[in-house]
């Protein structure tokens, strides 16, 4: 595990630095936090994260961690991944200046990071391709299982599996299969077996349970290609790193006056389900203290009735807990049973949130708000009509927050929105909700 | 006597008699509260010497369809952690003396409060804890509370466990170690895995703790085969399946007799 030590050294030296500071000088300690040096050696982000899985999986997680950390310093692997991101995924995705949307709000200038233009129509391909390639090149495994909510991660995984010639099974709740039908067909067309999940709420959480059960059973031959910055260590970190390509590109593009405004944004806005697109764009900006990082959760039908997936916004339901391998904020009842969530967007309809988000929030580095189903639908209309971009319902939650945020900010300020996916997959839902136009 | 000591004495007795311990699991609250009490008592009258008291969780990711369905039924009837402990208390009041090991996923226990759960569990008559999604690496707080209260901390090992992990898990386990017979989830299977004896022998090389085998055992014949190599025979899904329906108690009694006979088969030498 030499590479583990390389990776974590920065964190350890950071800890030493903090300890050597005078204990009464809180402000100095605060300023010294190196956000990018986490998690710690055991996969924790402060009180969050860790590995809460059955023993059968522990050796597989150890192997995955070792292989993944080695790959970070493996020039050949990184070059192959970069090449595929360029020639297969179509990266870098551009940033687009949203002129009419900016004028509409009359506040900050709005730029959009166009993950909707990545192959398969969402940011999910960045992680799916990364993990699939890792398995193909570095692990003695031949089969992939994955879960999917909106179907975007499922399609991305099916795509990577087809391109690399890997057997693939995707678990999907039957409620989600009904509301994301085109994606089910896409996965099957790509040669993936889609297995409907009938347990629990028949949505993303239940799909993850069944994917984990498959993985426990077939762990010797199978890699679990988890799609968000969730689950047991090393997944939250590995998924973040594969998705950080979004933030690295955006940083370069924003600073380049040809591509963007030629300066850092004042705020970055992204939707947060598990939180992979958000952590992907946030992470390279963490060290720039002037950039506000805002995550938008699914407010569903409103916080009061409990029909939502806003883990940070509802103190009654959203509390520290353990779900599917990681400790984080979890929507649950008083008895520790996981609450049923609701969102119009299948991709945000999940009871927990990535542990790094919870930790960054505690540090005051990131902030979270929510947008309701109705606000998200308004977001879809706004972006479609003013910018000619039909966003995914997930990404529309980020757009919806601009309604509040953009007018509050000055015309000399800049907002960057991560448009994590395109809306084609949601047309059925949108047509039902908005009716005849 | 502490819970751990009660568990130890059950295995010591069985070892002296050259046989294994029959250890049934029941999903508390299934098919309903009254039946749960009747089933556990029936098992106790038909050869069970140590119990796994399943506290239901909404997301039982190590469980197959049988126990998923049973725990879901229990939850829809409003079974809470508190109810499960109350049922243990009632079973003790009814005169049951066998050790009870509470088996639950970590979140219900964490939400209840680790120290508070351990205190209330001991007061109710629980002797040990099994938390399948809590490896020793994450269990510092729970382990400390259990040590102080005399509760056994029973961890699991799987066929995929490396020798290094076997040593580490054994060092944290008290009472016995739960060996998962297969790489997989709970549920009765028609055949025991062919490499089970090798797996048990591999664990034996690293620890003197009693070894109980579970997952996939559902017949007297399988119980006898496991009793030939291990110290405990754990049966869950097959009994939970038998517990369904109006004649559940009778069917559980018959299967329990069969399983106990298998587990009590004298060991050679």
């Amino acid at each position: 595990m030499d590479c583990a030590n390389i990776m974590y050294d920065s964190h350890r030296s950071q800890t030493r630095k903090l300890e050597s500071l005078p204990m009464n000088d809180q402000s100095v300690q605060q300023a010294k936090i190196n956000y990018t040096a986490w998690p710690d050696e055991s996969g924790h982000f402060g009180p969050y994260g860790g590995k809460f899985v059955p023993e059968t999986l522990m050796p597989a997680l150890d192997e995955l961690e070792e292989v993944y950390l080695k790959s970070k310093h493996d020039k050949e692997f990184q070059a192959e991944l970069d090449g595929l991101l360029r020639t297969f995924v179509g990266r870098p995705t551009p940033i687009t200046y949203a002129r009419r949307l900016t004028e509409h709000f009359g506040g900050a200038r709005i730029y959009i990071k166009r993950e909707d233009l990545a192959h398969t129509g969402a940011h999910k391909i960045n992680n799916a391709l990364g993990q699939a390639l890792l398995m193909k090149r570095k692990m003695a495994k031949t089969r992939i299982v994955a879960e999917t909510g909106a179907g975007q991660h499922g399609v991305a995984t099916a795509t990577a599996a087809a391109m690399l010639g890997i057997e693939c099974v995707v678990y999907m709740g039957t409620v989600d299969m009904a509301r994301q039908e085109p994606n089910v067909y896409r996965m099957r067309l790509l040669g993936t077996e889609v297995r409907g999940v009938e347990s629990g709420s028949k949505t993303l959480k239940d799909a993850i349970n069944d994917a984990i059960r498959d993985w426990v059973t077939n762990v010797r031959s199978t890699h679990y290609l988890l799609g968000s910055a969730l689950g047991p260590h090393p997944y939250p970190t590995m998924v973040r790193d594969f998705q950080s390509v979004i933030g690295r590109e955006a940083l370069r593009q924003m600073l380049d006056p040809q591509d963007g405004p030629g300066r850092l944004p004042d705020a970055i806005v992204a939707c947060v389900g598990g939180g992979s697109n958000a952590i992907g764009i946030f992470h390279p900006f963490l060290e720039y203290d002037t950039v506000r990082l805002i995550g938008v959760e699914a407010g569903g039908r409103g916080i009061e009735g409990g029909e939502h997936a806003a883990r940070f916004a509802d103190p009654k339901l959203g509390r520290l807990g353990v779900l599917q391998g990681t400790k984080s904020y979890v929507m649950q009842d008083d008895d520790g049973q996981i609450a049923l969530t609701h969102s119009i967007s299948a991709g945000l309809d999940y009871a927990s949130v990535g542990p790094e988000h919870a930790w960054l929030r505690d540090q005051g580095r990131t902030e979270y708000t929510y947008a309701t189903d109705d606000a998200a639908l308004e977001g879809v209309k706004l972006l479609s009509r003013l910018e000619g971009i039909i966003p995914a319902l997930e990404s529309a939650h980020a757009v919806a927050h601009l309604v509040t945020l953009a007018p509050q900010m000055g015309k000399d300020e800049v907002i960057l929105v991560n448009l994590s996916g395109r809306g084609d997959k949601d047309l059925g839902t949108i047509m039902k909700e908005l009716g005849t136009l | 006597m502490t819970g751990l000591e009660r568990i130890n004495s059950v295995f010591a007795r069985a070892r002296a008699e050259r046989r294994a311990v029959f250890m049934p699991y029941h999903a508390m609250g299934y098919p309903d509260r009254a039946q749960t009490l009747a089933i556990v008592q029936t098992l106790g009258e038909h050869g069970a010497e140590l119990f796994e008291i399943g506290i239901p969780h909404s997301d039982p990711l190590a469980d197959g369809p049988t126990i998923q369905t049973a725990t879901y039924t229990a939850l829809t009837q409003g079974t809470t952690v508190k109810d499960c402990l109350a049922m243990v208390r009632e079973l003790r009041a009814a005169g049951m003396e066998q050790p009870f090991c509470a088996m639950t996923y970590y979140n219900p226990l964490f939400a209840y409060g680790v120290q508070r759960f351990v205190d209330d569990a001991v007061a109710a008559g629980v002797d040990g804890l099994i938390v399948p999604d809590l490896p020793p690496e994450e269990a510092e707080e729970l382990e400390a509370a259990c040590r102080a209260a005399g509760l056994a901390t029973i961890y699991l090992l799987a066929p995929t466990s490396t020798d290094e992990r076997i040593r580490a898990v054994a060092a944290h386990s008290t009472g016995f170690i739960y060996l998962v017979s297969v790489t997989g989830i709970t549920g009765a299977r028609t055949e025991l895995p062919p490499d089970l004896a090798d797996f048990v022998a591999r664990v034996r090389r690293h620890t003197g703790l009693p070894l109980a085998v579970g997952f996939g055992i559902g017949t007297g014949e399988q119980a006898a085969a496991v009793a030939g190599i291990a110290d405990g025979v754990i049966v869950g899904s097959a009994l939970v399946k038998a517990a369904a329906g109006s004649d559940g108690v009778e069917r559980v009694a018959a299967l329990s007799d069969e399983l106990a006979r298998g587990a009590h088969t004298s060991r050679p030498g």
Side-chain angles (χ1 to χ4, degrees), chain A residues 198-209:
Chain A
E198 286 283 356
S199 58
S201 54
K202 305 177 176 65
T203 59
L204 179 58
K205 170 175 78 75
D206 312 287
I208 295 179
N209 283 337

Side-chain angles (χ1 to χ4, degrees), chain A residues 3 74 78 114 160 167 203 236 258 277 286 321 365 372 380 384:
Chain A
C3 289
D74 181 331
Q78 293 299 334
R114 300 293 304 279
E167 181 190 348
T203 59
Q258 304 288 315
N277 91 80
L286 283 173
R365 182 63 192 93
T372 62
V380 169
S384 300

Side-chain angles (χ1 to χ4, degrees), chain A residues 296-348:
Chain A
V296 186
E297 296 185 285
R301 300 190 177 105
I303 302 302
E304 299 74 24
E307 290 181 84
H308 60 79
R311 292 72 37 119
F312 292 130
D314 187 343
K316 208 169 70 206
L317 290 172
R319 294 194 313 278
L320 187 60
V322 171
L323 177 63
Q324 294 169 335
T326 193
K327 193 183 266 185
S328 184
Y329 273 71
V330 178
M331 283 183 52
Q332 54 187 310
D333 68 13
D334 291 341
D335 218 37
Q337 309 302 348
I338 308 308
L340 295 184
T341 52
H342 163 80
S343 170
I344 192 170
S345 67
L348 304 184

Side-chain angles (χ1 to χ4, degrees), chain A residues 92 223 298 305:
Chain A
H223 172 65

Side-chain angles (χ1 to χ4, degrees), chain A residues 26-170:
Chain A
Q26 289 293 323
S27 62
V28 174
Q29 291 196 35
Q30 283 296 315
K32 287 283 182 187
I33 288 178
N34 178 4
Y35 301 107
T36 56
W38 292 74
D40 66 16
E41 298 89 333
S42 60
H44 291 85
F45 298 89
Y48 309 105
K51 292 181 191 177
F52 295 83
V53 294
E55 174 61 28
T56 309
L57 297 177
M58 291 297 282
L61 291 174
D62 289 346
E63 184 203 2
L64 181 60
E65 181 179 8
E66 191 178 338
V67 165
Y68 156 67
L69 289 176
K70 271 188 190 152
S71 78
K72 285 180 73 161
H73 306 280
D74 181 331
K75 288 203 174 81
E76 201 180 323
F77 176 83
Q78 293 299 334
E80 186 176 9
L81 179 58
D82 287 349
L84 288 173
L85 288 173
R86 202 172 57 245
T87 60
F88 183 68
V89 177
R91 303 205 72 89
T93 60
I95 53 175
T96 300
Y97 174 52
R99 184 179 57 82
R100 294 190 66 210
L101 198 64
T102 298
E103 285 166 4
H104 174 76
F105 293 126
R109 279 182 289 155
I110 298 164
Y111 287 80
I112 302 172
K113 177 63 173 167
R114 300 293 304 279
E115 289 303 293
D116 60 314
L117 293 179
H119 180 41
T120 71
H123 73 291
K124 293 289 187 187
I125 190 73
N126 304 327
N127 166 57
L129 192 61
Q131 285 194 46
L133 190 68
L134 189 68
M135 189 201 96
K136 183 85 178 175
R137 296 281 178 260
K138 305 291 179 188
M139 298 165 84
K141 295 187 172 182
T142 55
R143 178 176 176 267
I144 281 172
V145 290
E147 80 296 336
T148 198
Q152 290 304 97
H153 174 58
V155 168
T157 303
T159 299
M163 197 265 284
L164 293 167
I166 303 168
E167 181 190 348
C168 180
V169 172
V170 170

